[in-house]
Amino acid sequence: MTIGQKIREIRLLKKMTLKQIAQKTELSIPFLSQLERDKCNATMGSLRNIADVLGVHPSAFFDYNELTEPTVVNKNDFDYRDLSNHVNSIFKPLKITIQPNSQISSRISHKGTEFVYCLEGTLTLVVGDENYNLTPHQSYMYQATEPHYWYNHTQESVTFLVVNET
């Protein structure tokens, strides 16, 4: 099942209309409709906003193949792996790789706390008005209600772990 199909399935289970989702996410109804029909792609920020409105973690939009394999989503600029082993918990561990000179999304904010741990490369983390350059083995924890995003200004891939509340 595709990301769009999962969004539609969850939206219908929650008995929500595209108009309701659009009003709460500030995304347009045509965009949401195209997303559900797999006619366009969404940023991680948009997926996070949709997930918050639907009351689910963004990983709910991705299919699981086997219990022992992480969910993997490959986009042009990033690779997103759900490392939760499909255990339902208040915490969600993710492994993310950002390609050179890329960012995942524009500033987003959502409920909860996030912990970021850099594995490879130099990750630039923006929280509020502050920039943090994390190198391997450095970490940072912040309130996810603060506008934030991650990007890679370097010529090498950046890989990091994120643990956030679901």
Side-chain angles (χ1 to χ4, degrees), residues 13 16 34 47 56-57 77 85-87 108 111 120 124 133 154 160 162:
L13 283 171
M16 295 184 77
Q34 287 182 347
L47 291 177
V56 297
H57 191 273
D77 296 332
N85 198 29
H86 318 294
V87 173
I108 62 169
K111 65 180 181 174
E120 297 175 349
T124 301
N133 289 314
T154 71
F160 57 103
V162 174

Side-chain angles (χ1 to χ4, degrees), residues 4-163:
Q5 291 169 333
K6 285 297 277 185
I7 291 171
R8 178 177 168 78
E9 176 183 75
I10 294 167
R11 178 179 62 79
L12 293 174
L13 283 171
K14 302 274 183 166
K15 298 183 180 179
M16 295 184 77
T17 65
L18 285 175
K19 183 177 180 180
Q20 290 171 313
I21 303 295
Q23 289 172 335
K24 293 180 179 181
T25 61
E26 298 182 2
L27 299 170
S28 71
I29 293 172
F31 170 77
L32 292 168
S33 176
Q34 287 182 347
L35 181 61
E36 287 188 356
R37 292 180 291 123
D38 300 313
K39 302 289 184 195
C40 67
N41 291 319
T43 65
M44 283 304 295
S46 295
L47 291 177
R48 182 69 202 209
N49 288 338
I50 294 166
D52 285 349
V53 168
L54 293 173
V56 297
H57 191 273
S59 64
F61 302 146
F62 310 119
D63 275 336
Y64 298 112
N65 296 328
E66 296 179 21
L67 286 178
T68 57
E69 291 188 24
T71 299
V72 179
V73 176
N74 292 304
K75 297 283 186 181
N76 292 338
D77 296 332
F78 67 91
D79 177 80
Y80 171 101
R81 295 176 185 261
D82 178 352
L83 303 177
S84 68
N85 198 29
H86 318 294
V87 173
N88 190 10
S89 172
I90 61 169
F91 299 105
K92 181 67 72 172
L94 308 168
K95 181 179 177 186
I96 300 172
T97 300
I98 305 176
Q99 297 307 312
N101 296 309
S102 299
Q103 72 181 47
I104 290 184
S105 67
S106 57
R107 291 178 182 260
I108 62 169
S109 60
H110 51 87
K111 65 180 181 174
T113 305
E114 284 189 344
F115 171 79
V116 176
Y117 182 85
C118 187
L119 296 170
E120 297 175 349
T122 301
L123 173 68
T124 301
L125 167 66
V126 178
V127 179
D129 294 328
E130 299 293 323
N131 288 1
Y132 304 94
N133 289 314
L134 303 180
T135 57
H137 312 293
Q138 290 185 318
S139 62
Y140 192 77
M141 191 167 187
Y142 52 93
Q143 292 298 317
T145 53
E146 278 285 319
H148 61 278
Y149 66 101
W150 314 298
Y151 60 91
N152 177 1
H153 282 301
T154 71
Q155 298 299 316
E156 298 177 4
S157 294
V158 172
T159 302
F160 57 103
L161 297 176
V162 174
V163 179

